[in-house]
mmCIF file of all heavy atoms in Angstrom:
data_model
loop_
_atom_site.group_PDB
_atom_site.id
_atom_site.type_symbol
_atom_site.label_atom_id
_atom_site.label_comp_id
_atom_site.label_asym_id
_atom_site.label_seq_id
_atom_site.Cartn_x
_atom_site.Cartn_y
_atom_site.Cartn_z
ATOM 1 N N SER A 178 -1.844 12.020 -16.675
ATOM 2 C CA SER A 178 -0.617 12.210 -17.469
ATOM 3 C C SER A 178 0.337 11.054 -17.317
ATOM 4 O O SER A 178 1.563 11.219 -17.069
ATOM 5 C CB SER A 178 0.051 13.531 -17.064
ATOM 6 O OG SER A 178 -0.837 14.635 -17.260
ATOM 7 N N LEU A 179 -0.147 9.858 -17.469
ATOM 8 C CA LEU A 179 0.686 8.665 -17.295
ATOM 9 C C LEU A 179 1.748 8.582 -18.383
ATOM 10 O O LEU A 179 1.516 8.835 -19.544
ATOM 11 C CB LEU A 179 -0.160 7.389 -17.331
ATOM 12 C CG LEU A 179 -1.021 7.196 -16.068
ATOM 13 C CD1 LEU A 179 -2.065 6.119 -16.297
ATOM 14 C CD2 LEU A 179 -0.130 6.830 -14.889
ATOM 15 N N LYS A 180 2.950 8.214 -17.957
ATOM 16 C CA LYS A 180 4.077 8.065 -18.848
ATOM 17 C C LYS A 180 4.128 6.653 -19.437
ATOM 18 O O LYS A 180 3.657 5.743 -18.827
ATOM 19 C CB LYS A 180 5.361 8.378 -18.106
ATOM 20 C CG LYS A 180 5.450 9.821 -17.507
ATOM 21 C CD LYS A 180 6.721 10.037 -16.768
ATOM 22 C CE LYS A 180 6.791 11.433 -16.198
ATOM 23 N NZ LYS A 180 8.045 11.674 -15.447
ATOM 24 N N PRO A 181 4.730 6.536 -20.632
ATOM 25 C CA PRO A 181 4.856 5.224 -21.204
ATOM 26 C C PRO A 181 5.849 4.394 -20.431
ATOM 27 O O PRO A 181 7.020 4.759 -20.402
ATOM 28 C CB PRO A 181 5.298 5.505 -22.637
ATOM 29 C CG PRO A 181 5.972 6.845 -22.565
ATOM 30 C CD PRO A 181 5.216 7.598 -21.528
ATOM 31 N N GLU A 182 5.405 3.284 -19.898
ATOM 32 C CA GLU A 182 6.229 2.437 -19.054
ATOM 33 C C GLU A 182 5.793 0.973 -19.195
ATOM 34 O O GLU A 182 4.635 0.752 -19.599
ATOM 35 C CB GLU A 182 6.197 2.864 -17.590
ATOM 36 C CG GLU A 182 6.814 4.228 -17.298
ATOM 37 C CD GLU A 182 6.654 4.624 -15.856
ATOM 38 O OE1 GLU A 182 5.564 4.596 -15.347
ATOM 39 O OE2 GLU A 182 7.683 4.997 -15.235
ATOM 40 N N ALA A 183 6.667 0.097 -18.848
ATOM 41 C CA ALA A 183 6.243 -1.318 -18.777
ATOM 42 C C ALA A 183 5.318 -1.528 -17.603
ATOM 43 O O ALA A 183 5.087 -0.637 -16.802
ATOM 44 C CB ALA A 183 7.487 -2.174 -18.648
ATOM 45 N N THR A 184 4.743 -2.717 -17.538
ATOM 46 C CA THR A 184 3.804 -3.025 -16.489
ATOM 47 C C THR A 184 4.419 -2.828 -15.116
ATOM 48 O O THR A 184 5.482 -3.336 -14.810
ATOM 49 C CB THR A 184 3.275 -4.452 -16.666
ATOM 50 O OG1 THR A 184 2.586 -4.597 -17.884
ATOM 51 C CG2 THR A 184 2.323 -4.778 -15.522
ATOM 52 N N ILE A 185 3.697 -2.086 -14.270
ATOM 53 C CA ILE A 185 4.085 -1.835 -12.938
ATOM 54 C C ILE A 185 2.939 -2.293 -11.994
ATOM 55 O O ILE A 185 1.782 -2.014 -12.278
ATOM 56 C CB ILE A 185 4.381 -0.349 -12.673
ATOM 57 C CG1 ILE A 185 5.566 0.101 -13.527
ATOM 58 C CG2 ILE A 185 4.657 -0.041 -11.228
ATOM 59 C CD1 ILE A 185 5.848 1.592 -13.458
ATOM 60 N N VAL A 186 3.301 -2.922 -10.928
ATOM 61 C CA VAL A 186 2.332 -3.349 -9.925
ATOM 62 C C VAL A 186 2.202 -2.339 -8.831
ATOM 63 O O VAL A 186 3.224 -1.969 -8.244
ATOM 64 C CB VAL A 186 2.682 -4.733 -9.347
ATOM 65 C CG1 VAL A 186 1.597 -5.186 -8.333
ATOM 66 C CG2 VAL A 186 2.813 -5.786 -10.447
ATOM 67 N N TYR A 187 0.972 -1.904 -8.578
ATOM 68 C CA TYR A 187 0.716 -0.969 -7.490
ATOM 69 C C TYR A 187 0.124 -1.688 -6.305
ATOM 70 O O TYR A 187 -0.796 -2.461 -6.473
ATOM 71 C CB TYR A 187 -0.223 0.142 -7.981
ATOM 72 C CG TYR A 187 0.424 1.186 -8.841
ATOM 73 C CD1 TYR A 187 0.714 0.904 -10.191
ATOM 74 C CD2 TYR A 187 0.722 2.429 -8.351
ATOM 75 C CE1 TYR A 187 1.340 1.860 -10.959
ATOM 76 C CE2 TYR A 187 1.353 3.387 -9.114
ATOM 77 C CZ TYR A 187 1.666 3.122 -10.409
ATOM 78 O OH TYR A 187 2.257 4.033 -11.242
ATOM 79 N N PHE A 188 0.645 -1.437 -5.130
ATOM 80 C CA PHE A 188 0.251 -2.099 -3.920
ATOM 81 C C PHE A 188 -0.331 -1.018 -2.947
ATOM 82 O O PHE A 188 0.184 0.034 -2.829
ATOM 83 C CB PHE A 188 1.379 -2.801 -3.224
ATOM 84 C CG PHE A 188 1.989 -3.954 -4.035
ATOM 85 C CD1 PHE A 188 3.027 -3.737 -4.897
ATOM 86 C CD2 PHE A 188 1.475 -5.242 -3.876
ATOM 87 C CE1 PHE A 188 3.579 -4.748 -5.589
ATOM 88 C CE2 PHE A 188 2.049 -6.280 -4.562
ATOM 89 C CZ PHE A 188 3.070 -6.058 -5.452
ATOM 90 N N CYS A 189 -1.357 -1.445 -2.225
ATOM 91 C CA CYS A 189 -1.901 -0.651 -1.168
ATOM 92 C C CYS A 189 -1.386 -1.160 0.183
ATOM 93 O O CYS A 189 -1.421 -2.403 0.418
ATOM 94 C CB CYS A 189 -3.417 -0.668 -1.184
ATOM 95 S SG CYS A 189 -4.216 0.338 0.137
ATOM 96 N N ASN A 190 -0.906 -0.257 1.009
ATOM 97 C CA ASN A 190 -0.409 -0.606 2.340
ATOM 98 C C ASN A 190 -1.268 0.080 3.395
ATOM 99 O O ASN A 190 -1.563 1.281 3.255
ATOM 100 C CB ASN A 190 1.038 -0.224 2.514
ATOM 101 C CG ASN A 190 1.572 -0.520 3.899
ATOM 102 O OD1 ASN A 190 1.582 0.349 4.782
ATOM 103 N ND2 ASN A 190 2.064 -1.747 4.096
ATOM 104 N N VAL A 191 -1.627 -0.608 4.444
ATOM 105 C CA VAL A 191 -2.454 -0.102 5.484
ATOM 106 C C VAL A 191 -1.720 -0.183 6.825
ATOM 107 O O VAL A 191 -1.276 -1.252 7.221
ATOM 108 C CB VAL A 191 -3.814 -0.829 5.603
ATOM 109 C CG1 VAL A 191 -4.718 -0.178 6.646
ATOM 110 C CG2 VAL A 191 -4.522 -0.847 4.234
ATOM 111 N N ASP A 192 -1.562 0.949 7.472
ATOM 112 C CA ASP A 192 -0.839 1.055 8.725
ATOM 113 C C ASP A 192 -1.853 1.108 9.838
ATOM 114 O O ASP A 192 -2.734 1.981 9.845
ATOM 115 C CB ASP A 192 0.028 2.355 8.692
ATOM 116 C CG ASP A 192 0.890 2.464 9.958
ATOM 117 O OD1 ASP A 192 1.001 1.524 10.701
ATOM 118 O OD2 ASP A 192 1.483 3.578 10.084
ATOM 119 N N LEU A 193 -1.748 0.177 10.802
ATOM 120 C CA LEU A 193 -2.756 0.052 11.850
ATOM 121 C C LEU A 193 -2.162 -0.060 13.236
ATOM 122 O O LEU A 193 -0.992 -0.358 13.406
ATOM 123 C CB LEU A 193 -3.607 -1.204 11.606
ATOM 124 C CG LEU A 193 -4.198 -1.442 10.193
ATOM 125 C CD1 LEU A 193 -3.431 -2.562 9.505
ATOM 126 C CD2 LEU A 193 -5.689 -1.768 10.299
ATOM 127 N N ARG A 194 -3.013 0.204 14.230
ATOM 128 C CA ARG A 194 -2.740 -0.062 15.603
ATOM 129 C C ARG A 194 -4.047 -0.269 16.354
ATOM 130 O O ARG A 194 -5.106 0.050 15.838
ATOM 131 C CB ARG A 194 -1.920 1.081 16.210
ATOM 132 C CG ARG A 194 -2.713 2.341 16.515
ATOM 133 C CD ARG A 194 -1.817 3.528 16.781
ATOM 134 N NE ARG A 194 -0.683 3.305 17.625
ATOM 135 C CZ ARG A 194 0.259 4.181 17.876
ATOM 136 N NH1 ARG A 194 0.208 5.402 17.314
ATOM 137 N NH2 ARG A 194 1.251 3.890 18.662
ATOM 138 N N ARG A 195 -3.925 -0.873 17.546
ATOM 139 C CA ARG A 195 -5.127 -1.158 18.311
ATOM 140 C C ARG A 195 -5.786 0.105 18.889
ATOM 141 O O ARG A 195 -7.010 0.148 19.123
ATOM 142 C CB ARG A 195 -4.831 -2.126 19.430
ATOM 143 C CG ARG A 195 -4.672 -3.586 18.963
ATOM 144 C CD ARG A 195 -4.711 -4.567 20.074
ATOM 145 N NE ARG A 195 -4.750 -5.917 19.598
ATOM 146 C CZ ARG A 195 -5.790 -6.588 19.241
ATOM 147 N NH1 ARG A 195 -6.987 -5.993 19.324
ATOM 148 N NH2 ARG A 195 -5.718 -7.826 18.814
ATOM 149 N N HIS A 196 -4.986 1.120 19.227
ATOM 150 C CA HIS A 196 -5.491 2.361 19.757
ATOM 151 C C HIS A 196 -4.951 3.534 18.911
ATOM 152 O O HIS A 196 -3.918 3.403 18.268
ATOM 153 C CB HIS A 196 -5.081 2.526 21.213
ATOM 154 C CG HIS A 196 -5.609 1.434 22.096
ATOM 155 N ND1 HIS A 196 -4.836 0.279 22.334
ATOM 156 C CD2 HIS A 196 -6.754 1.304 22.757
ATOM 157 C CE1 HIS A 196 -5.550 -0.532 23.125
ATOM 158 N NE2 HIS A 196 -6.695 0.056 23.405
ATOM 159 N N LEU A 197 -5.648 4.638 18.972
ATOM 160 C CA LEU A 197 -5.324 5.738 18.067
ATOM 161 C C LEU A 197 -3.922 6.328 18.320
ATOM 162 O O LEU A 197 -3.204 6.584 17.347
ATOM 163 C CB LEU A 197 -6.352 6.870 18.266
ATOM 164 C CG LEU A 197 -6.168 8.114 17.419
ATOM 165 C CD1 LEU A 197 -6.263 7.764 15.911
ATOM 166 C CD2 LEU A 197 -7.222 9.178 17.753
ATOM 167 N N GLU A 198 -3.515 6.498 19.575
ATOM 168 C CA GLU A 198 -2.287 7.227 19.877
ATOM 169 C C GLU A 198 -1.223 6.424 20.635
ATOM 170 O O GLU A 198 -0.206 7.010 20.979
ATOM 171 C CB GLU A 198 -2.636 8.513 20.677
ATOM 172 C CG GLU A 198 -3.567 9.432 19.942
ATOM 173 C CD GLU A 198 -3.937 10.659 20.750
ATOM 174 O OE1 GLU A 198 -3.608 10.706 21.951
ATOM 175 O OE2 GLU A 198 -4.542 11.584 20.164
ATOM 176 N N PHE A 199 -1.458 5.145 20.913
ATOM 177 C CA PHE A 199 -0.476 4.397 21.608
ATOM 178 C C PHE A 199 -0.583 2.947 21.310
ATOM 179 O O PHE A 199 -1.595 2.481 20.678
ATOM 180 C CB PHE A 199 -0.617 4.630 23.145
ATOM 181 C CG PHE A 199 -1.955 4.198 23.698
ATOM 182 C CD1 PHE A 199 -2.191 2.909 24.154
ATOM 183 C CD2 PHE A 199 -2.995 5.108 23.770
ATOM 184 C CE1 PHE A 199 -3.449 2.547 24.669
ATOM 185 C CE2 PHE A 199 -4.250 4.779 24.276
ATOM 186 C CZ PHE A 199 -4.446 3.484 24.732
ATOM 187 N N GLY A 200 0.403 2.166 21.670
ATOM 188 C CA GLY A 200 0.434 0.745 21.432
ATOM 189 C C GLY A 200 1.197 0.412 20.184
ATOM 190 O O GLY A 200 1.630 1.286 19.425
ATOM 191 N N PRO A 201 1.424 -0.878 19.952
ATOM 192 C CA PRO A 201 2.176 -1.299 18.788
ATOM 193 C C PRO A 201 1.455 -1.051 17.464
ATOM 194 O O PRO A 201 0.218 -0.980 17.425
ATOM 195 C CB PRO A 201 2.354 -2.818 19.044
ATOM 196 C CG PRO A 201 1.188 -3.192 19.861
ATOM 197 C CD PRO A 201 0.936 -1.984 20.757
ATOM 198 N N THR A 202 2.194 -0.922 16.400
ATOM 199 C CA THR A 202 1.663 -0.754 15.071
ATOM 200 C C THR A 202 2.081 -1.867 14.168
ATOM 201 O O THR A 202 3.065 -2.582 14.420
ATOM 202 C CB THR A 202 2.121 0.572 14.479
ATOM 203 O OG1 THR A 202 3.540 0.575 14.316
ATOM 204 C CG2 THR A 202 1.748 1.769 15.381
ATOM 205 N N PHE A 203 1.315 -2.095 13.108
ATOM 206 C CA PHE A 203 1.658 -3.099 12.138
ATOM 207 C C PHE A 203 1.032 -2.689 10.824
ATOM 208 O O PHE A 203 0.192 -1.756 10.773
ATOM 209 C CB PHE A 203 1.207 -4.466 12.546
ATOM 210 C CG PHE A 203 -0.256 -4.675 12.649
ATOM 211 C CD1 PHE A 203 -0.952 -5.258 11.572
ATOM 212 C CD2 PHE A 203 -0.991 -4.248 13.720
ATOM 213 C CE1 PHE A 203 -2.333 -5.431 11.609
ATOM 214 C CE2 PHE A 203 -2.368 -4.431 13.812
ATOM 215 C CZ PHE A 203 -3.070 -5.014 12.752
ATOM 216 N N ASP A 204 1.411 -3.321 9.762
ATOM 217 C CA ASP A 204 0.909 -2.949 8.432
ATOM 218 C C ASP A 204 0.509 -4.187 7.666
ATOM 219 O O ASP A 204 1.053 -5.307 7.850
ATOM 220 C CB ASP A 204 1.909 -2.080 7.677
ATOM 221 C CG ASP A 204 3.194 -2.832 7.359
ATOM 222 O OD1 ASP A 204 3.972 -3.036 8.279
ATOM 223 O OD2 ASP A 204 3.377 -3.222 6.165
ATOM 224 N N VAL A 205 -0.413 -4.003 6.725
ATOM 225 C CA VAL A 205 -0.934 -5.095 5.901
ATOM 226 C C VAL A 205 -0.852 -4.649 4.434
ATOM 227 O O VAL A 205 -1.261 -3.531 4.116
ATOM 228 C CB VAL A 205 -2.365 -5.485 6.283
ATOM 229 C CG1 VAL A 205 -2.899 -6.555 5.319
ATOM 230 C CG2 VAL A 205 -2.410 -5.992 7.723
ATOM 231 N N TRP A 206 -0.426 -5.510 3.596
ATOM 232 C CA TRP A 206 -0.297 -5.236 2.148
ATOM 233 C C TRP A 206 -1.459 -5.916 1.377
ATOM 234 O O TRP A 206 -1.859 -7.050 1.699
ATOM 235 C CB TRP A 206 1.004 -5.778 1.585
ATOM 236 C CG TRP A 206 2.242 -5.063 2.062
ATOM 237 C CD1 TRP A 206 3.011 -5.369 3.092
ATOM 238 C CD2 TRP A 206 2.776 -3.845 1.467
ATOM 239 N NE1 TRP A 206 4.026 -4.493 3.243
ATOM 240 C CE2 TRP A 206 3.926 -3.547 2.229
ATOM 241 C CE3 TRP A 206 2.411 -3.074 0.381
ATOM 242 C CZ2 TRP A 206 4.719 -2.469 1.925
ATOM 243 C CZ3 TRP A 206 3.246 -1.972 0.093
ATOM 244 C CH2 TRP A 206 4.366 -1.657 0.829
ATOM 245 N N GLY A 207 -1.950 -5.266 0.360
ATOM 246 C CA GLY A 207 -2.854 -5.892 -0.593
ATOM 247 C C GLY A 207 -2.043 -6.718 -1.562
ATOM 248 O O GLY A 207 -0.853 -6.789 -1.569
ATOM 249 N N GLN A 208 -2.833 -7.397 -2.431
ATOM 250 C CA GLN A 208 -2.156 -8.285 -3.425
ATOM 251 C C GLN A 208 -1.599 -7.551 -4.610
ATOM 252 O O GLN A 208 -0.747 -8.120 -5.344
ATOM 253 C CB GLN A 208 -3.196 -9.321 -3.928
ATOM 254 C CG GLN A 208 -3.628 -10.297 -2.869
ATOM 255 C CD GLN A 208 -2.510 -11.194 -2.370
ATOM 256 O OE1 GLN A 208 -1.691 -11.665 -3.198
ATOM 257 N NE2 GLN A 208 -2.415 -11.407 -1.079
ATOM 258 N N GLY A 209 -2.013 -6.354 -4.855
ATOM 259 C CA GLY A 209 -1.491 -5.531 -5.971
ATOM 260 C C GLY A 209 -2.380 -5.531 -7.163
ATOM 261 O O GLY A 209 -3.173 -6.448 -7.364
ATOM 262 N N THR A 210 -2.264 -4.490 -7.965
ATOM 263 C CA THR A 210 -2.960 -4.369 -9.213
ATOM 264 C C THR A 210 -2.032 -3.814 -10.272
ATOM 265 O O THR A 210 -1.227 -2.911 -10.020
ATOM 266 C CB THR A 210 -4.240 -3.462 -9.060
ATOM 267 O OG1 THR A 210 -4.976 -3.462 -10.257
ATOM 268 C CG2 THR A 210 -3.862 -2.060 -8.683
ATOM 269 N N GLN A 211 -2.103 -4.348 -11.496
ATOM 270 C CA GLN A 211 -1.127 -4.013 -12.558
ATOM 271 C C GLN A 211 -1.609 -2.804 -13.407
ATOM 272 O O GLN A 211 -2.758 -2.717 -13.716
ATOM 273 C CB GLN A 211 -0.881 -5.190 -13.455
ATOM 274 C CG GLN A 211 -0.257 -6.370 -12.753
ATOM 275 C CD GLN A 211 0.060 -7.502 -13.694
ATOM 276 O OE1 GLN A 211 0.166 -7.293 -14.944
ATOM 277 N NE2 GLN A 211 0.301 -8.685 -13.177
ATOM 278 N N VAL A 212 -0.646 -1.999 -13.728
ATOM 279 C CA VAL A 212 -0.885 -0.836 -14.628
ATOM 280 C C VAL A 212 0.132 -0.907 -15.725
ATOM 281 O O VAL A 212 1.319 -0.990 -15.508
ATOM 282 C CB VAL A 212 -0.746 0.498 -13.837
ATOM 283 C CG1 VAL A 212 -0.898 1.685 -14.824
ATOM 284 C CG2 VAL A 212 -1.822 0.587 -12.786
ATOM 285 N N THR A 213 -0.361 -0.816 -16.979
ATOM 286 C CA THR A 213 0.510 -0.822 -18.135
ATOM 287 C C THR A 213 0.191 0.377 -19.028
ATOM 288 O O THR A 213 -0.967 0.623 -19.351
ATOM 289 C CB THR A 213 0.321 -2.088 -18.939
ATOM 290 O OG1 THR A 213 0.591 -3.276 -18.132
ATOM 291 C CG2 THR A 213 1.247 -2.127 -20.160
ATOM 292 N N SER A 214 1.230 1.117 -19.394
ATOM 293 C CA SER A 214 1.080 2.240 -20.285
ATOM 294 C C SER A 214 2.125 2.092 -21.413
ATOM 295 O O SER A 214 3.224 2.624 -21.255
ATOM 296 C CB SER A 214 1.252 3.571 -19.541
ATOM 297 O OG SER A 214 0.987 4.657 -20.387
ATOM 298 N N PRO A 215 1.783 1.465 -22.479
ATOM 299 C CA PRO A 215 2.765 1.137 -23.532
ATOM 300 C C PRO A 215 3.064 2.367 -24.392
ATOM 301 O O PRO A 215 2.284 3.256 -24.547
ATOM 302 C CB PRO A 215 2.071 0.081 -24.341
ATOM 303 C CG PRO A 215 0.616 0.371 -24.237
ATOM 304 C CD PRO A 215 0.446 0.879 -22.844
#
């Protein structure tokens, strides 16, 4: 049910850490993919 909108870029973000329950965390972004619904 996409609404009529100008081009929007969708990004995927990944939240990571070295161990499951402890230690520092960081995140990585993808380059993005464009969606247009005129």
Side-chain angles (χ1 to χ4, degrees):
S178 302
L179 287 168
K180 299 178 180 179
E182 295 176 307
T184 297
I185 297 175
V186 181
Y187 283 76
F188 297 90
C189 181
N190 179 266
V191 184
D192 184 12
L193 311 106
R194 75 196 315 174
R195 284 195 174 274
H196 301 91
L197 181 62
E198 300 178 351
F199 59 90
T202 63
F203 66 99
D204 63 287
V205 177
W206 292 93
Q208 293 296 318
T210 185
Q211 296 185 18
V212 175
T213 302
S214 186

